[in-house]
Amino acid sequence: MKTELRGNTTSISLQNPSLFNTPQSSLSGALKGCLGSLDGACIEKLLLHCASALEHNDGTLVQQVMWVLNNVASLVGDPNQRLTSWFLRALVSRASKVCPTAMDFDGSSRIQRRQMSVTELAVYVDLIPWHRFGFCASNSAIFKAIEGHSKVHILDFSITHCMQWPTLIDAVAKRPEGPPSLRITVPSCRPPVPPFLNVSCEEVGLRLSNFAKFRDVPFEFNVIDDPSYLASTEIMPKESSHDFHFESLLNHLTPSVLNLRDDEALVINCQNWLRYLSNIEQKGSRVQDSSLRDAFLRTVKAFNPCIVIVVDEDSDLSAPSLSSRITTCFNYLWIPFDALETFLPKDSRQRIEYESDIGHKIENIISFEGLQRIERLEPGIKVSERMKNAGFLSVPFCKDTIGEVRSLLEEHASGWGMKREEDHMLMLTWKGHNAVFATAWVPSDLQD
């Protein structure tokens, strides 16, 4: 008879059920006193011991720790229990790869990523200010940067399907001098990460066009076609392939393909995007001895944009060490789990689905290595260093932008806050913990 461990929708069968007839006192000393504990520090310790056991191919200890974690984990428990359930799932997935003789992983139990309608995506974005913070800060900075320009072109690199642009369209429609002609260009490929939408880029563009027409804003929407992007004909990318052909996309980022025009103010918008570009040096390619991340920044700088916006989560999840990633990830992704606890019931479907999308990220961070690990987040300070090395200068956010962001946060739970860091960076915080950063940049040679 097999002892079965079910974490969320993941199922593993442990091949030595007698291990779990062992009394707690005989478990590894590192596990003593942890059984049933919901303390975050103890859970983190268990996760690190599991990681260490995996790295040393100690299948017995892996099974023991997972058993303890399974007694703590719950999809409908408190934030620590819910977060633990997703870490357990990620560790089970990793264990099935490195210890196949110790456990049988049912790969068919992988969660099917849900596709949202545009209306559902709007609700998703509004749930907590995780995305709206960046939208608000970015749109305000863009609005200021394009003052006096009659034509504007935005290159939009983001994962949220253009959800920030209706607000900007509405803002420019109210300009005293009249709205500019607005052109938005998006890539056909995107990282295979939630949120997923059940309509195409072209349909999103059509909806934006209709809204712009309603607001009397001249508007054009374009998609950068990349024939090498295998998933371009699929609404939802295959999770197992992690298809994100960015090096090919980089070859398509040229003035002619983008139809850049001298009479337009060019805006580069990067929302939760840079982390998915490899920060590993690529040798033997056209970006010789450089990462795709740096190559992208050099490419967009050459376009002489009037402003570059970079928004992302403020955490370092790019370490090669599994233990380091577990520690950072556990202490960082506690934030959205705790924030959702403040206003949604434990059995809320909306809450469970939102947490499932965070679980997707956890699985990639913990379970995968090499090119399959696409979640390589860098903190704001490190990103700022990259921007400066690429030839950009930071632009501090003005008082109006700060005021707009504060007004936005007043719509959400009292735990959300904002602070300035490094003089140029706006930081979204939850109970004092850094969550999301927003920065604005210009090419250094555009400054007086």
Side-chain angles (χ1 to χ4, degrees), residues 77-204:
D78 65 24
N80 277 336
Q81 291 176 296
R82 300 166 86 100
L83 184 57
T84 300
S85 69
W86 290 107
F87 270 86
L88 176 61
R89 180 176 186 270
L91 287 168
V92 165
S93 176
R94 186 181 181 98
S96 71
K97 300 180 180 71
V98 300
C99 300
T101 59
M103 57 187 65
D104 175 29
F105 175 57
D106 179 10
S108 64
S109 65
R110 296 177 67 89
I111 290 180
Q112 293 295 314
R113 311 317 313 179
R114 75 190 191 282
Q115 296 175 328
M116 288 182 273
S117 68
V118 173
T119 301
E120 289 171 332
L121 180 60
V123 173
Y124 176 95
V125 167
D126 286 344
L127 199 57
I128 59 177
W130 205 261
H131 295 292
R132 291 187 71 201
F133 165 81
F135 294 171
C136 183
S138 300
N139 285 346
S140 182
I142 292 170
F143 185 84
K144 180 176 175 58
I146 62 176
E147 284 180 355
H149 291 278
S150 60
K151 297 181 180 180
V152 178
H153 184 190
I154 299 175
L155 292 182
D156 182 30
F157 300 96
S158 67
I159 64 170
T160 48
H161 308 281
C162 297
M163 286 301 296
Q164 80 180 84
W165 301 128
T167 302
L168 182 67
I169 291 171
D170 187 62
V172 299
K174 301 173 184 175
R175 287 202 325 188
E177 69 273 30
S181 296
L182 181 61
R183 192 156 62 105
I184 295 179
T185 299
V186 302
S188 60
C189 66
R190 69 184 293 276
V193 296
F196 295 117
L197 196 59
N198 65 0
V199 299
S200 66
C201 288
E202 289 76 12
E203 174 64 22
V204 170

Side-chain angles (χ1 to χ4, degrees), residues 263-278:
D263 61 344
E264 290 179 325
L266 179 64
V267 174
I268 310 291
N269 183 65
C270 299
Q271 301 272 338
N272 294 34
W273 179 268
L274 286 183
R275 82 176 84 155
Y276 298 112
L277 314 186
S278 174

Side-chain angles (χ1 to χ4, degrees), residues 202-246:
E202 289 76 12
E203 174 64 22
V204 170
L206 180 60
R207 291 169 183 255
L208 284 176
S209 296
N210 289 336
F211 181 72
K213 183 178 181 180
F214 173 72
R215 300 296 287 123
D216 293 322
V217 176
F219 185 80
E220 181 182 335
F221 187 86
N222 299 294
V223 178
I224 308 170
D225 290 321
D226 179 3
S228 69
Y229 182 56
L230 302 179
S232 61
T233 59
E234 300 176 0
I235 294 174
M236 185 179 299
K238 297 176 182 178
E239 287 184 77
S240 59
S241 65
H242 295 281
D243 286 324
F244 182 38
H245 300 273
F246 188 80

